[in-house]
């Protein structure tokens, strides 16, 4: 029995080619691609539409959407110390639930079907994921230097046991040691021991800023990547966010240890962190996905923007218009993103037996014309609002641009109220 | 008599501050800003909306929208010689009309109320501008090395006489010598003589690529900027597109000659031209506006994207998160853009006695929440589709996201047919 039939769409294959086809979905799975003639419970007319794998956001802090536009154009440490950390002190579990729902609403509306999150009050995040229907890879952020260091390890273990592979398998749990500069070696050894005990993978920030790398060399005589390799952190399957300041030796280690990279061009640009050597990583055979980072440092969760930035930033940085072509940038947001999260056998491709995690773009607006090349239009011309329908795990979560599982009106009231309370505005700007 | 009353909006002032106010429009002019109690012919409810000056796109080639997505990810000269120039050979006057309308439709829908164009068949461009109601600064592109060199001069003169200050003053005409590398000194002297005769200003590409600058040094012993100064080109009011590869000496000349710059971050990134030293130009007091360049090299005409890129690119390039703050980037797209086109006393600001060239953003979508800072949300989070209403010269050209003067359905049929014919596709990708 076909539950959903996508009829007459332009379908983007993992080879970057676009072909006219129908897609049949039964339960949570893509069961046919081609000319489908059987009956279906629901038919979605996909004429004039581009069907792509749902985007995979490989690095974010979803609930930080509550701090969107609170503080910008500041030095990183100033921003963290005077704005973000004090505001985060005020966060409650309920705030994290609503902030995460706000992020999920925005992600679904811009075509993202799966995201990797690192934050705290993670059972609230998992609840929002379970209720909304999206797919996610969740990690409780752990800082070894914080008073919560031991508690975070215990919470991570409990969270893993409770939520890993829960919500029909839509939730996967990783361990989330925040970064080498917040997690001393002794703490990281505890984290790797826990990873070994649970069989879990690790999501960590690595080599985001030049200052972090310089400090690491000063304290440990080696780069963050080399230090992580020495401590065994890289032996458990690692998703490493940023990797902006990595040397050729680091890239060799990353390749050797199969480190997967979450590249966040928008955040790296806005925070002035630097330009990650992505072309070199790709050449070395490293798996690179794309991420938005949190909305406080981006300031949206629009993966199409990250695709475009990935395609354009490396061109101008290397003065090479061939640096990251459209096909590579889109692959980083889909198939490679899924690989980065360890979900490459499940999602990220429009292929039979894969999960039905699908984004459908409406190609009506003027910026989609003329249509010489649909992959180019998606990469360089499309907008998030062109996302028309989003399906996750075989369920329609966005139908004709309307969320089906989230009450957007109530959500926005909650988000506004909580966002303003957290930063203790006397009056909004 | 108030013709249009914008009621209860959040109004962005030229000082970067947002204040709650009403705006009264009589005929083509803003007549009141504040609390307006008089009757009006039409009232637009602007609650939950952000009212900003219409964006000014200081550099494009509108009709090249027909080549959108035709050729990307190529070396510049390869792209021009094997793709763009052969396709342009096929262009008819009617193609330019429809290509320009396609561009205008996209520009209006993304909040642009004024654009500077350089192309050919310019009376067709002017006709599209006149019919659509948008504001434009038009220049017939002239290449001294082309067989059309003399014809282009004659056409420019006729075009100036026929169209300068036409269409209720919405059309302004400049002369458009393409670039130093396509216009030898003798030809540029003829152009400046014509500019002097007509009293017209000049729109030219300058210092776009490192190769152009190196060639200029080789042939003339000086930079393109210095060469233009020597030839008197800079004495007539110059709008210079790109200015990517300019040295401190060039910046001093530009400031001295009051050269206004059209910065095109998207095009410069995608074509890998380089990063223009915009912070240094601003520090020197040079007027810098933003432009999209043509849709063949961008690939859209979305000024919000250029605002965001301007704010983000220079941060990461200089590793300075304070490089171009949100307020500066938005000013480049509005007040400074108008100044760059010589229209700073007419448009680019929401102030009494200025032209009613206004863009109204709907702030309903999740990415506009919470609203800690509206200017930040506009710069870093908004999308082109959030543009709800656009007014040019006191007339509503976009109402609730629908074009009022352009038949979008017919336009798209024409654009698709002509676009595919021009590049002689056997079958579209």
């Amino acid at each position: 029995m076909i539950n959903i039939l996508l009829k007459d769409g332009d379908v983007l294959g993992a080879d970057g080619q676009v072909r006219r086809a129908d897609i049949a979905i039964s339960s949570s799975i893509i069961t046919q691609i081609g000319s489908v003639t059987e009956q279906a419970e629901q038919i979605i007319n996909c004429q004039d539409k581009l069907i792509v794998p749902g985007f995979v956001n490989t690095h974010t802090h979803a609930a930080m959407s509550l701090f969107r536009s609170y503080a910008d154009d500041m030095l990183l440490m100033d921003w963290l110390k005077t704005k973000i950390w004090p505001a985060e002190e005020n966060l409650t579990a309920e705030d994290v639930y609503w902030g995460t729902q706000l992020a999920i609403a925005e992600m679904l509306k811009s075509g993202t079907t799966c995201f990797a999150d690192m934050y705290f009050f993670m059972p609230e995040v998992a609840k929002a994921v379970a209720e909304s229907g999206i797919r996610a890879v969740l990690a409780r952020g752990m800082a070894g230097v914080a008073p919560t260091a031991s508690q975070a390890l215990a919470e991570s273990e409990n969270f893993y046991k409770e939520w890993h592979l829960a919500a029909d398998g839509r939730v996967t749990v990783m361990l989330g040691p925040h970064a080498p500069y917040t997690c001393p070696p002794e703490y990281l050894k505890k984290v790797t021991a826990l990873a070994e005990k649970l069989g879990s993978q690790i999501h960590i920030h690595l080599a985001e800023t030049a200052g972090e790398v310089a400090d690491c060399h000063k304290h440990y005589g080696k780069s963050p990547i080399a230090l992580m390799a020495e401590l065994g952190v890289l032996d458990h399957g690692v998703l490493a966010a940023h990797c902006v300041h990595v040397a050729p030796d680091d890239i060799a280690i990353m390749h050797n240890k199969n480190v997967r990279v979450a590249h966040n061009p928008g955040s790296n640009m806005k925070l002035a962190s630097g330009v990650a050597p992505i072309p070199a990583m790709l050449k070395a055979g490293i798996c690179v996905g794309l991420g938005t980072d949190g909305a406080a440092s981006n300031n949206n969760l629009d993966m199409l923007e990250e695709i475009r930035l990935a395609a354009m930033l490396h061109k101008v940085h290397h003065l090479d218009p061939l640096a990251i072509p459209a096909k590579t940038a889109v692959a980083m947001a889909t198939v490679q993103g899924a690989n980065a999260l360890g979900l490459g056998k499940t999602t990220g491709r429009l292929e039979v037996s894969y999960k039905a995690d699908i984004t459908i773009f409406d190609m009506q607006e003027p910026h989609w014309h003329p249509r010489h090349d649909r992959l180019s239009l998606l990469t360089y011309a499309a907008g998030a609002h062109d996302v028309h329908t989003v399906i996750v795990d075989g369920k329609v979560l966005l139908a004709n641009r309307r969320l089906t599982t989230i009450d957007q009106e109530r959500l926005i009231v909650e988000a506004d109220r909580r966002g303003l309370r957290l930063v203790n505005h006397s009056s909004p700007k």
Side-chain angles (χ1 to χ4, degrees), chain A:
Chain A
M1 180 62 190
I2 298 174
N3 298 110
I4 302 173
L5 177 59
L6 309 180
K7 194 71 190 159
D8 296 323
D10 289 341
V11 179
L12 177 66
D15 58 359
Q17 297 297 308
V18 175
R19 300 174 188 86
R20 184 65 49 94
D22 310 323
I23 296 181
I25 299 167
S26 296
S27 182
S28 67
I29 302 292
I30 296 173
T31 51
Q32 296 180 61
I33 302 182
S35 180
V36 180
T37 51
E38 289 105 302
Q39 294 291 307
E41 269 178 15
Q42 181 187 0
I43 295 175
I44 299 177
N45 176 5
C46 291
Q47 277 188 325
D48 241 18
K49 297 202 169 57
L50 181 64
I51 308 179
V52 308
F55 297 140
V56 179
N57 183 349
T58 58
H59 181 68
T60 191
H61 312 284
M64 290 187 84
S65 61
L66 294 178
F67 305 123
R68 185 204 313 277
S69 82
Y70 168 47
D72 304 293
D73 302 335
M74 297 175 72
L75 295 169
L76 179 65
M77 277 301 140
D78 195 22
W79 177 75
L80 284 171
K81 287 182 181 167
T82 71
K83 295 287 186 171
I84 296 300
W85 288 342
E88 281 186 334
E89 287 284 308
N90 300 330
L91 274 171
T92 66
E94 269 210 314
D95 293 332
V96 168
Y97 171 82
W98 285 105
T100 303
Q101 280 292 31
L102 179 66
I104 292 172
E106 189 193 346
M107 287 194 274
L108 287 173
K109 291 189 111 176
S110 50
T112 293
T113 54
C114 179
F115 70 102
D117 198 62
M118 184 197 294
Y119 214 54
F120 43 98
F121 293 121
M122 293 311 287
E124 298 294 322
V125 176
K127 191 178 139 205
V129 169
E131 289 174 8
S132 65
I134 201 168
R135 191 179 303 283
V137 176
L138 306 179
R140 203 280 187 215
M142 300 186 270
V145 294
T148 53
S150 300
Q151 182 196 337
L153 275 167
E155 282 183 23
S156 288
E157 181 166 358
N158 291 338
F159 182 58
Y160 185 91
K161 287 174 177 167
E162 189 178 356
W163 281 99
H164 185 60
L165 302 181
D168 303 322
R170 284 186 288 108
V171 172
T172 313
V173 175
M174 289 188 182
L175 298 186
H178 173 262
Y181 61 93
T182 50
C183 295
E186 283 313 306
Y187 191 71
L188 286 169
K189 283 182 188 163
K190 291 182 192 168
V191 174
T192 56
L194 181 58
E196 192 152 312
K197 176 178 160 190
L198 298 173
S200 69
Q201 301 201 4
I202 287 173
H203 183 177
I204 187 169
H205 297 88
L206 283 181
E208 181 173 2
T209 66
E212 171 195 341
V213 175
D215 282 352
C216 192
H217 275 284
K218 195 170 140 194
H219 287 114
Y220 303 106
K222 53 192 55 133
S223 72
I225 302 287
L227 180 64
M228 292 306 101
E230 184 181 280
L231 294 170
V233 173
L234 306 186
D235 295 327
H236 296 274
V238 165
L239 170 64
H242 302 301
C243 300
V244 173
H245 298 277
V246 291
D249 283 357
D250 295 319
I251 291 178
I253 295 171
M254 291 160 70
H255 178 250
N256 183 35
K257 295 289 187 179
N258 193 26
V259 170
R260 295 103 61 179
V261 174
H263 175 42
N264 303 273
S267 169
N268 296 162
M269 291 175 79
K270 182 160 180 288
L271 298 179
S273 305
V275 179
I278 301 300
M281 291 183 200
L282 293 176
K283 202 172 167 196
I286 291 170
C287 170
V288 180
L290 293 178
T292 58
D293 209 348
S297 54
N298 187 309
N299 291 348
N300 62 31
L301 305 174
D302 179 353
M303 283 291 290
L304 209 47
E305 215 170 278
E306 303 304 324
I307 290 173
R308 192 160 304 156
L309 291 175
M312 288 168 61
L313 176 61
H314 302 285
K315 286 179 173 63
V316 76
H317 186 68
H318 294 284
L319 299 179
D320 174 8
L322 315 181
I324 304 274
K327 182 179 157 180
T328 305
V330 171
M332 287 162 73
T334 52
V335 59
Q336 296 304 333
N339 288 339
L341 301 194
L343 300 176
K345 299 211 163 133
T346 309
T347 188
R349 294 167 181 261
L350 299 180
E351 283 178 20
V352 169
S353 87
Y354 270 70
K355 287 287 187 186
D357 293 353
I358 299 175
T359 291
I360 305 177
F361 281 86
D362 188 331
M363 298 191 287
Q364 279 192 75
E365 286 294 316
H367 54 257
W368 283 92
H369 298 271
R371 295 191 196 134
H372 298 295
D373 184 328
R374 284 150 174 76
L375 182 66
S376 157
L377 290 165
L378 177 71
T379 305
Y380 297 117
H385 189 85
D386 299 324
V387 172
H388 180 277
T389 297
V390 173
I391 298 170
V392 180
D393 213 43
K395 293 194 177 58
V396 176
L397 303 187
L398 188 80
N400 196 7
R401 300 191 175 84
R402 298 187 75 88
L403 296 162
T404 63
T405 56
I406 294 174
D407 177 346
Q408 184 173 319
E409 272 185 48
R410 178 174 177 208
L411 166 62
I412 281 174
V413 170
E414 290 283 354
D416 284 350
R417 187 170 64 82
R418 290 166 189 278
L420 297 184
R421 188 203 86 233
L422 284 166
V423 305
N424 201 13
H425 272 307
S426 48
S427 64
K429 272 192 272 187

